[in-house]
Amino acid sequence: MELRQLRYFVRIAELGSLSRAAQVLHVAQPALSQHVAQLESELGHRLLVRRSTGVQLTEQGAILYRHAQRILGLMGQVRDAVNQSVDQPTGTVAVGLPQSTACQYAMPLLEAVSARHPGVALEFFDEISGNLLRGVDSGRLDLAVIVSDEDAALLDAVPVMDETLFLVSRHDLAPAGAAMPLAGLAGLPLALPGPEHGVRARVDASLRGVGAGSVAPKVVANSMNIMRQAVLAGLAHTILPWGAVSEEIERGLLAATPLEPALGRRVWLCTGRGVSPTSAGRAVFALLLELMRSRVRDGLWKGVALLPP
């Protein structure tokens, strides 16, 4: 088994297509198929199922994919560790961010890293909480901002802040009153992500807690952009932290109404449990933690309460 074969296999799994992987990797598709066949022969299991729409991992293929991600991540850390120094960290750091508030982190962190650590490159991933956990656990991500207490408990995690969730509406469709009763959400057309998403799970649990039952969203979208567009079009309301729609609120397009009782979540900055980060990873972790706290203290991030260091 060669590292090159693992790199090829990971890219095939990520793209879900041999032909697309061949284009990206600049490898002839028959040669790519031969590498997969060699892996299957060596491991004694079928790893991919070929379908008309592409390829799908078998159970054994999914296991190899997870381990291959970790192996390739560790090899990248070895290269970084050999080539970097403590005073001048170099290398690429993969940072996972929650879809809902990635806009609060990405550009400020990119600017800060460029200014303080010019030898460090950032690779951003904005994903739902479950994917962030799997990314950190597998080594695909060096660090991530996690908004699930259950997921954070499985990683090395630093609690940073408590973030309030609001009912977000188009400005002219926002409910009257200082707050929106949680039970009243059941009567509103809502745009929410699927049940596996952290915000959706909190909404459902909170509604059950007040005897309103689970919500039936009008729009189900695992995409911040689609949910935002649905609200701007006046088709639905949604549940989000202030940081997800701060620009639209400041421009007067959207309004954020507090919920009663309040609904919130804890924000954690996480790395893999028992993993020793590279110097670049440690530098980015420290800078992101500093950045998150300073933005709150400077009034640039509302609806949150910092936790003691």
Side-chain angles (χ1 to χ4, degrees), residues 101 105 160-164 166 241-243 265 267 292-293 295-297 300-307:
T101 51
Y105 308 94
V160 183
M161 65 181 75
D162 286 331
E163 191 170 39
T164 302
F166 295 86
W242 178 92
R265 64 187 187 182
V267 180
M292 294 167 72
R293 289 173 172 159
R295 285 178 64 80
V296 176
R297 286 193 293 262
L300 301 175
W301 196 336
K302 301 177 182 178
V304 296
L306 285 177
L307 297 169

Side-chain angles (χ1 to χ4, degrees), residues 27-41:
V27 176
Q29 186 171 335
L32 207 56
S33 297
Q34 183 62 33
H35 281 294
V36 173
Q38 289 172 354
L39 281 174
E40 291 179 327
S41 176

Side-chain angles (χ1 to χ4, degrees), residues 229-286:
Q229 292 301 319
V231 176
L232 287 168
L235 299 175
H237 309 259
T238 192
I239 309 294
L240 289 171
W242 178 92
V245 287
S246 56
E247 292 185 6
E248 290 85 353
I249 292 173
E250 292 171 357
R251 290 163 55 194
L253 300 175
L254 299 178
T257 304
L259 296 166
E260 182 60 43
L263 187 61
R265 64 187 187 182
R266 180 150 292 182
V267 180
W268 308 76
L269 185 54
C270 303
T271 56
R273 176 158 290 177
V275 175
S276 179
T278 63
S279 293
R282 290 194 298 272
V284 173
F285 185 98

Side-chain angles (χ1 to χ4, degrees), residues 92-296:
T92 299
V93 179
V95 180
L97 302 173
Q99 283 187 349
S100 53
T101 51
C103 59
Q104 292 294 323
Y105 308 94
M107 288 310 299
L109 181 61
L110 183 59
E111 292 171 356
V113 169
S114 297
R116 297 197 198 180
H117 305 294
V120 175
L122 295 179
E123 186 174 6
F124 288 112
F125 298 83
D126 61 328
E127 302 180 7
I128 64 175
S129 296
N131 288 347
L132 293 175
L133 168 64
R134 287 187 286 273
V136 175
D137 191 48
S138 69
R140 178 173 62 90
L141 300 176
D142 296 296
L143 58 102
V145 176
I146 299 283
V147 291
S148 164
D149 295 352
E150 294 79 9
D151 291 352
L154 301 174
L155 303 169
D156 285 343
V158 174
V160 183
M161 65 181 75
D162 286 331
E163 191 170 39
T164 302
L165 300 176
F166 295 86
L167 175 69
V168 175
S169 316
R170 199 170 75 179
H171 191 272
D172 58 329
L173 299 177
M180 178 70 184
L182 267 178
L185 295 179
L188 293 178
L190 293 175
L192 293 173
E196 71 281 0
H197 194 285
V199 168
R200 173 66 179 280
R202 288 187 180 275
V203 171
D204 285 343
S206 298
L207 285 177
R208 289 193 297 270
V210 297
S214 298
V215 69
K218 180 179 181 180
V219 178
V220 178
N222 293 304
S223 162
M224 274 297 306
N225 186 52
I226 293 175
M227 288 194 296
R228 186 184 292 110
Q229 292 301 319
V231 176
L232 287 168
L235 299 175
H237 309 259
T238 192
I239 309 294
L240 289 171
W242 178 92
V245 287
S246 56
E247 292 185 6
E248 290 85 353
I249 292 173
E250 292 171 357
R251 290 163 55 194
L253 300 175
L254 299 178
T257 304
L259 296 166
E260 182 60 43
L263 187 61
R265 64 187 187 182
R266 180 150 292 182
V267 180
W268 308 76
L269 185 54
C270 303
T271 56
R273 176 158 290 177
V275 175
S276 179
T278 63
S279 293
R282 290 194 298 272
V284 173
F285 185 98
L287 195 52
L288 179 52
L289 187 59
E290 174 190 331
L291 182 79
M292 294 167 72
R293 289 173 172 159
S294 65
R295 285 178 64 80
V296 176

Side-chain angles (χ1 to χ4, degrees), residues 21-28:
Q23 292 173 355
V24 170
L25 294 167
H26 303 292
V27 176

